Amino acid sequence: MGSSPAPQPENLGQDVDVPPRQNLLRIGGRSVAWVPPLLLLLVIAVIDVNTSREFRVISWIVMVPGIAAALCGVWTTAAFAVLAIATYASVDQAWPDQFQTGLPDFILVAVGGVLAVGACWVRVRGEGRMLHMRDIAETTRRTVLRPLPPRWGGLDHAAVYLAADSVAKVGGDFYDIQPSRFGTRVLLGDVQGKGLGAVDAAAMLLSSFRESGYHTGDLAQVAERLEIGMRRHRFYRVQVGRDDGDRFATAVLIGFPPPDGDTGHVDVINFGHQPPLIVGHGGVRELPSGEGLPLGLGDLTDRPPQVQRVTLADDETLLLVTDGVTEARDAGGMFFPLNATVADAVRTDPAAAQPEHLVRLVRDATLDHCGGHLADDTTVFAVRNVDGGASATATFL
């Protein structure tokens, strides 16, 4: 709204402290990046010793520090540069004077070693910058999409987020759970567009939701705060010279009643988003889509979005997704059949309705359907009311 590595539910990514190239050259946690250049050096030396006088290959040893520069660190590359020079001199001196390659090739090997060390320094510095930028992106993602504690607000939950930009790791999709004395509120949405402007809008909406969802008793008033916040944010962007146009966000706002209230239902406000699914042992049913406009476009109508009350049993799970799931296409251009896929899975195994299983199922099925090539940010979020929610919420408040 890129194919990305599939993160685990709630983990939303994996931390890796070494560059990808070095990861491929590790065995048992130890680096073996030095093995290829060392083998190459030995092979060249052995071939030169056993070759004819008219065909000398010792000058090929200049490739050794070059290979090390692509695989190893700066000091290891420097060591291979020195080793290459020493090996060249030793092997070449072993030949009679008339068959020695002499000073020109010695200079070639020496200069090649120096250039290899310089190239390695540039490569390692670039990888360091990449890791630093990745850490910044990870921090930004965790600031926007904060990790949720287990059974937060009395809800069993699981989520997976796949950013269209696998390097940035963050986009315009957003979700959160906010406990309050009025019950637990859930929000999932998708900001129109991409880039930092979409991330900025998503962060604003989540901030507004966390405050209004906690302090405001009426779910319709929470929805109103979100709408006003989106308009204010758009106005602010214009004033600072970063006009995003008529940026908007589709979203679903859900209110779970407090434990001492009238349970067995949820209140839903849909801002032009894909309707959530209710998944349980009895099958799959889709919530009504509603008539609400996306956040930021509420001024186009005089009618505020309507609160819809939907029956929800204790063993039923709410499944919310963004259009990275519903608009995923296979090689033939067919959209991913979300409803049918979930229904088949639950019919085969009722345990698939549990949030964590459900999220993994939808994630894997979506990636399989599109061959791992997602065209948009993709979020899968599942929540279910659980026993103990009353005490969890009361303790929080």
Side-chain angles (χ1 to χ4, degrees):
M1 297 209 54
S3 169
S4 305
Q8 299 298 318
E10 292 299 328
N11 188 26
L12 303 178
Q14 298 178 354
D15 293 327
V16 181
D17 295 327
V18 291
R21 183 183 292 108
Q22 294 186 23
N23 280 342
L24 297 176
L25 294 172
R26 284 180 171 265
I27 297 177
R30 296 180 178 274
S31 175
V32 293
W34 52 271
V35 172
L38 180 61
L39 289 177
L40 179 63
L41 183 144
L42 294 175
V43 168
I44 292 174
V46 169
I47 291 176
D48 188 80
V49 169
N50 293 278
T51 191
S52 65
R53 298 173 179 178
E54 292 78 16
F55 185 71
R56 298 288 311 283
V57 297
I58 190 60
S59 59
W60 293 7
I61 209 167
V62 71
M63 295 188 298
V64 170
I67 297 297
L71 301 175
C72 305
V74 175
W75 288 109
T76 303
T77 301
F80 271 111
V82 172
L83 185 59
I85 294 174
T87 303
Y88 170 85
S90 299
V91 173
D92 196 45
Q93 287 294 325
W95 286 85
D97 291 345
Q98 65 269 31
F99 299 113
Q100 293 179 4
T101 56
L103 183 62
D105 283 2
F106 177 85
I107 294 175
L108 172 66
V109 174
V111 172
V114 172
L115 293 178
V117 173
C120 182
W121 179 82
V122 172
R123 191 210 91 215
V124 170
R125 186 173 181 181
E127 288 179 347
R129 281 199 189 123
M130 177 191 70
L131 291 173
H132 180 62
M133 293 303 296
R134 189 199 61 187
D135 289 341
I136 293 175
E138 180 70 10
T139 301
T140 301
R141 182 188 63 75
R142 289 187 175 274
T143 301
V144 176
L145 299 177
R146 62 181 182 179
L148 298 175
R151 299 198 169 190
W152 187 231
L155 299 182
D156 186 12
H157 58 84
V160 65
Y161 172 68
L162 305 175
D165 187 340
S166 60
V167 177
K169 294 187 178 181
V170 67
D173 287 7
F174 57 92
Y175 63 89
D176 203 0
I177 297 174
Q178 180 57 59
S180 79
R181 64 182 181 276
F182 309 108
T184 300
R185 278 71 187 270
V186 174
L187 178 69
L188 176 136
D190 181 4
V191 176
Q192 171 262 337
K194 301 182 187 296
L196 293 178
V199 177
D200 194 20
M204 179 280 303
L205 288 170
L206 285 173
S207 177
S208 177
F209 167 71
R210 289 161 188 166
E211 289 303 305
S212 61
Y214 178 79
H215 292 288
T216 307
D218 187 354
L219 194 67
Q221 291 183 4
V222 177
E224 183 181 3
R225 297 285 182 87
L226 293 172
E227 171 64 29
I228 293 174
M230 190 66 188
R231 292 192 220 170
R232 289 176 57 197
H233 177 75
R234 220 164 46 196
F235 177 75
Y236 163 79
R237 297 280 294 185
V238 172
Q239 296 306 305
V240 297
R242 299 179 182 175
D243 186 8
D244 296 326
D246 293 329
R247 189 183 293 277
F248 59 85
T250 64
V252 178
L253 176 63
I254 300 173
F256 286 81
D260 56 354
D262 181 15
T263 59
H265 70 271
V266 290
D267 292 328
V268 181
I269 300 179
N270 192 319
F271 301 94
H273 196 79
Q274 170 77 18
L277 299 181
I278 297 179
V279 183
H281 296 169
V284 177
R285 52 194 173 99
E286 187 174 88
L287 270 64
S289 59
E291 300 177 354
L293 293 177
L295 293 167
L297 302 181
D299 54 347
L300 299 179
T301 180
D302 295 331
R303 184 180 180 183
Q306 300 299 305
V307 179
Q308 299 175 320
R309 178 155 293 188
V310 180
T311 301
L312 184 69
D314 290 339
D315 63 346
E316 291 183 318
T317 299
L318 275 174
L319 174 64
L320 304 93
V321 302
T322 58
D323 56 10
V325 173
T326 56
E327 295 183 3
R329 297 173 183 259
D330 62 11
M334 298 295 294
F335 289 114
F336 173 61
L338 174 63
N339 295 25
T341 300
V342 173
D344 290 343
V346 174
R347 187 164 46 249
T348 303
D349 179 13
Q354 297 176 4
E356 184 172 341
H357 293 171
L358 191 57
V359 164
R360 290 179 183 271
L361 163 71
V362 175
R363 177 198 64 185
D364 295 344
T366 302
L367 291 173
D368 182 66
H369 180 78
C370 65
H373 299 284
L374 295 170
D376 208 341
D377 293 341
T378 300
T379 299
V380 186
F381 190 35
V383 295
R384 174 188 282 190
N385 212 344
V386 293
D387 294 334
S391 60
T393 304
T395 301
F396 173 78
L397 296 172

